[in-house]
Amino acid sequence: MSALTQPEDDFKARLDAGLWWKLFQRALRMKRHLVPLCIAAVVIAACEAGYAHVTRWVIDAVVRDGADAPLGLHLAAYLGLTAVLSVGVWVFIEKAGNLSNRLAHDIRRDGFDRLQELEFAFYDTRPVGWLITRLTSDCDRLARIMAWGFLDLVWGTSFLLMIAASLLVMNWKLGLIVIAIVPPLAVVSKYFQRKMLLSAREIRRTNSQITAAYNEAIQGVRTTKTLVREAENLAEFSRLSTRMFDAAVLNARQNAVYFPIVTTLGSLAAGLALWRGGVLVGNEAMSVGTLVAFVNFAGQFFFPINQLAQKLTEMQGAQAAGERVMGLLSTEPAIQDNATVRARLAAMAANPPTADLAPDGLPARIATVEFRHVTFRYATGPVVLEDFNLTVRAGETIALVGPSGGGKSTIASLVCRFYEPVSGQILINGIDYRERSLAWLQAQLGIVLQTPHLFKGTVRENIRYGRLDATDAEVEAAARRVNAHDFILQLEHGYDTPVGEGGNRLSSGQRQLVSFARALLADPQIFVMDEATSSIDTETEQLIQRGLQTMFAGRISFVIAHRLSTIRRADRILVITRGRIEECGTHEELVRRRGHYYELYTSQFQREREEAVLEGAAPEPFQK
Ligand code: ADP
């Protein structure tokens, strides 16, 4: 397994109080759950300490009054304590579970929200698996530790303080002697808890590697046999298995050593209490009941200290996860509205704009999109576009063609403001698009990708995704306009046919038609399309071409074009090579020029013609 999916790897030597405080602030927002939780923790600690006091009380009463001691009263006190303790434990478990789930829910939601806000460049540098781990296992782990850890810290500290206070109040000199056991107990507990956490991790890690090895061995059994790899595989597996064995033995040994040490320390404290206390009882300076309480308390120090050590160690172990999650939550999107735009949006929100103004107060109609001296590179890469200039007017369709890696998709992404120019400007109606509202611009975009992504759901739901408040009639009208209606009606349940995971029940041509309808429904001013390269049957191809005409009409369209029929209809064709416009013109102009485009066109035409012949359809005539 890679380090990315093993977030447990880092164990922080030092607790970062600032980080945990920030995390606990999230818990503080849930006072309704946190306050009862803390009260329950303190009440439980008080009840547990109370038992020793009741015992002391009973013994002293019996020693003093013999058979006349009010034992019924003592029994009632004992039962009362038990009842309170039970309620405390109930509140404690219920609230901690609740808090843990709520925290996980909140962090997940905020994380998801942030993921949606973050720009594409953020995703370029972080693998999907890494992000998913942040929002699933990291998030759950943190929430669990925060809720249960918080609880144990409150309980452990209060119990510890109550024991110490009881001892000091009963007899401060003897109390100090017994309390002297706390520091060594704390040091030993912390030391062993850390060791045990690390060995338990090693067991888990090797265990998952063993599972993966089994998986591989079973799935690849044929290949292994034919390549006679059995011996090597077994050797590899044995190494893994030995590592797990070693870790498990180590963990067992640590447990075996830890518990005797701490119980010995506890007994030592109890022994000290018994010895010094015995002398005091003999001198009648202390009651028998107090002595018993002392011995009881001395033996109980271990529990809160063990819990505190365990929780602090777990927090150290989860700190890396905490840093990653908090890092994600506090990452500011690099592409967002600037202060001026935010101010204009706020001003416009107060007096809603008229129809011809966008929410940012500037004209809503997009008349031109212009690249002015645009240079661009991805975060870590070389320059992709250099001094790129282009002006597109409303109604124009620009076809981008050229060799792969030339920069066509980059141009489209820049138009969409998924990335911003490194230098130069992209202007909308002559205004830098960074001075416009990002949400408004992106609402004006209709995007159809090479393999359009359809969501699990019906055809209708997928089209409606373009505009959630569209009526059924509007959904169907959009489908009609892009020529998708007829094929949809032929599906088993028409518009209510489920499209399957990622749209896999539809052919790629059908998926494109559905995505046209979805884009059209939103009535975008700018249409961006990455045409599919896969071959589509001639009939669907014609439907798509007619659908495209509807999409292009009246909009600014950028098409990364692969189909001749699309290219021929474009107002301008740009041949993009190494981030520059190598040729620009209409189909006729470029063919006449007999340059790069002509080469592309003739070779592609040849291929399409052959495919058409193989399919049995009449090939389109060659146009020059
Ligand atoms: P085209 O669409 O013409 O095939 P692209 O615009 O996708 O070309 O790519 C142009 C160059 O930018 C290529 O060298 C490609 O490797 C690089 N590139 C594309 N996307 C990214 C990215 N997200 N991060 C880094 N480099 C990228």
Side-chain angles (χ1 to χ4, degrees):
M1 261 201 187
S2 75
L4 295 173
T5 46
Q6 280 290 331
E8 300 185 325
D9 282 359
D10 333 280
F11 184 91
K12 301 282 172 174
R14 206 172 265 280
L15 261 191
D16 176 350
L19 174 85
W20 287 101
W21 174 238
K22 250 194 261 167
L23 282 165
F24 278 128
Q25 272 177 334
R26 295 187 150 261
L28 288 179
R29 285 191 225 146
M30 299 170 193
K31 289 206 177 59
R32 208 157 52 85
H33 298 278
L34 193 66
V35 172
L37 187 72
C38 292
I39 294 176
V42 175
V43 167
I44 291 171
C47 289
E48 284 170 331
Y51 280 125
H53 285 289
V54 171
T55 311
R56 171 187 173 215
W57 183 32
V58 174
I59 293 174
D60 283 348
V62 172
V63 169
R64 196 177 52 239
D65 306 328
D68 295 336
L71 290 179
L73 198 62
H74 295 129
L75 181 65
Y78 196 86
L79 291 180
L81 268 185
T82 308
V84 176
L85 184 68
S86 310
V87 174
V89 171
W90 167 54
V91 173
F92 173 97
I93 296 179
E94 156 133 6
K95 290 293 173 192
N98 215 318
L99 191 69
S100 161
N101 289 326
R102 272 165 207 274
L103 281 168
H105 167 269
D106 270 25
I107 299 178
R108 264 198 305 266
R109 192 200 47 212
D110 290 358
F112 188 83
D113 192 29
R114 190 36 57 99
L115 283 184
Q116 299 212 94
E117 277 175 5
L118 286 165
E119 68 287 348
F120 278 48
F122 176 86
Y123 291 95
D124 290 344
T125 49
R126 287 157 187 92
V128 175
W130 186 89
L131 287 168
I132 292 177
T133 311
R134 300 294 70 78
L135 290 178
T136 51
S137 63
D138 270 5
C139 174
D140 289 342
R141 222 159 112 230
L142 275 183
R144 220 177 28 248
I145 289 184
M146 279 155 67
W148 296 98
F150 193 77
L151 184 90
D152 276 336
L153 292 185
V154 175
W155 170 81
T157 318
S158 359
F159 194 25
L160 207 57
L161 289 177
M162 278 177 207
I163 298 179
S166 304
L167 293 181
L168 292 174
V169 167
M170 288 189 297
N171 185 316
W172 70 269
K173 275 192 200 151
L174 189 55
L176 283 180
I177 294 178
V178 175
I179 290 170
I181 209 69
V182 171
L185 202 54
V187 170
V188 169
S189 296
K190 193 72 189 65
Y191 175 80
F192 275 95
Q193 287 293 350
R194 175 169 187 267
K195 293 271 174 211
M196 291 191 300
L197 181 103
L198 293 178
S199 57
R201 265 185 191 184
E202 179 67 8
I203 300 176
R204 271 206 303 277
R205 187 164 39 228
T206 37
N207 192 24
S208 62
Q209 284 170 346
I210 285 176
T211 312
Y214 272 132
N215 206 352
E216 224 164 56
I218 294 167
Q219 289 190 354
V221 70
R222 285 197 181 79
T223 324
T224 315
K225 281 197 186 302
T226 51
L227 296 178
V228 201
R229 282 267 310 168
E230 290 99 324
E232 285 96 330
N233 284 359
L234 182 62
E236 224 167 85
F237 187 82
S238 303
R239 265 196 302 279
L240 264 182
S241 187
T242 310
R243 259 179 51 205
M244 176 156 163
F245 172 81
D246 290 345
V249 168
L250 181 66
N251 187 264
R253 195 178 304 141
Q254 288 160 342
N255 270 294
V257 178
Y258 172 53
F259 286 100
I261 292 184
V262 286
T263 30
T264 307
L265 282 172
S267 307
L268 203 66
L272 273 176
L274 207 54
W275 171 46
R276 296 303 311 157
V279 174
L280 291 174
V281 172
N283 295 340
E284 293 195 356
M286 187 191 256
S287 72
V288 180
T290 308
L291 177 61
V292 173
F294 252 93
V295 175
N296 260 340
F297 280 132
Q300 279 180 339
F301 265 134
F302 162 70
F303 301 105
I305 289 179
N306 180 55
Q307 280 303 320
L308 286 173
Q310 196 180 348
K311 285 301 169 299
L312 289 174
T313 312
E314 276 178 21
M315 282 163 72
Q316 270 171 291
Q319 190 155 302
E323 281 165 10
R324 284 188 295 255
V325 170
M326 290 312 274
L328 175 66
L329 293 183
S330 56
T331 307
E332 278 295 313
I335 298 183
Q336 56 178 332
D337 289 334
N338 65 26
T340 332
V341 175
R342 284 202 301 272
R344 267 194 276 122
L345 282 171
M348 291 303 286
N351 23 340
T354 53
D356 53 349
L357 288 186
D360 59 9
L362 295 171
R365 288 273 5 123
I366 299 179
T368 57
V369 171
E370 181 187 349
F371 282 70
R372 193 181 285 172
H373 305 302
V374 169
T375 296
F376 179 77
R377 67 154 66 83
Y378 290 97
T380 49
V383 170
V384 177
L385 290 186
E386 196 161 12
D387 196 20
F388 186 84
N389 292 288
L390 173 74
T391 305
V392 191
R393 287 174 192 80
E396 269 191 307
T397 301
I398 304 293
L400 302 167
V401 301
S404 150
K408 303 180 293 294
S409 313
T410 305
I411 295 171
S413 297
L414 283 166
V415 171
C416 301
R417 211 176 152 192
F418 293 153
Y419 298 88
E420 290 177 347
V422 172
S423 71
Q425 289 178 304
I426 295 176
L427 307 124
I428 290 178
N429 301 342
I431 296 171
D432 191 322
Y433 73 174
R434 283 171 284 210
E435 297 303 320
R436 301 293 316 251
S437 144
L438 180 64
W440 167 78
L441 171 66
Q442 293 185 340
Q444 307 313 311
L445 296 169
I447 302 174
V448 173
L449 298 174
Q450 218 173 52
T451 40
H453 184 82
L454 297 191
F455 298 94
K456 216 171 111 197
T458 64
V459 173
R460 190 191 308 281
E461 285 163 350
N462 266 284
I463 299 179
R464 186 170 283 137
Y465 203 80
R467 182 157 57 82
L468 296 178
D469 62 358
T471 61
D472 282 358
E474 286 172 320
V475 167
E476 288 177 26
R480 262 202 195 89
R481 287 182 59 204
V482 296
N483 288 314
H485 183 71
D486 292 340
F487 102 77
I488 295 174
L489 285 190
Q490 281 162 19
L491 297 174
E492 196 182 349
H493 303 289
Y495 281 86
D496 296 315
T497 311
V499 300
E501 196 81 45
N504 60 11
R505 293 208 205 148
L506 302 184
S507 75
S508 62
Q510 289 171 333
R511 261 180 264 171
Q512 291 230 342
L513 289 173
V514 170
S515 63
F516 286 169
R518 177 170 70 189
L520 186 70
L521 197 60
D523 194 19
Q525 298 197 63
I526 301 176
F527 178 58
V528 176
M529 178 173 174
D530 192 348
E531 250 183 8
T533 43
S534 58
S535 58
I536 284 172
D537 64 88
T538 322
E539 201 181 322
T540 316
E541 166 73 36
Q542 281 167 3
L543 290 179
I544 288 180
Q545 287 308 320
R546 270 185 273 139
L548 267 183
Q549 292 318 302
T550 314
M551 290 307 308
F552 293 157
R555 294 173 226 282
I556 291 179
S557 307
F558 291 86
V559 187
I560 299 170
H562 301 285
R563 301 179 186 289
L564 289 180
S565 20
T566 311
I567 301 172
R568 270 206 297 267
R569 289 192 182 109
D571 296 297
R572 251 184 300 165
I573 300 163
L574 307 186
V575 180
I576 306 291
T577 325
R578 286 190 292 279
R580 288 178 177 279
I581 302 177
E582 192 186 339
E583 289 175 15
C584 169
T586 61
H587 172 74
E588 283 72 23
E589 287 165 2
L590 293 183
V591 167
R592 234 176 273 130
R593 192 180 294 169
R594 309 251 156 181
H596 193 152
Y597 177 75
Y598 179 74
E599 273 170 40
L600 274 174
Y601 174 63
T602 42
S603 66
Q604 192 172 350
F605 180 80
Q606 192 66 30
R607 209 169 45 244
E608 285 197 6
R609 198 179 160 87
E610 281 163 10
E611 278 168 11
V613 170
L614 287 175
E615 253 183 52
E620 279 194 55
F622 188 83
Q623 292 185 3
K624 285 200 176 173

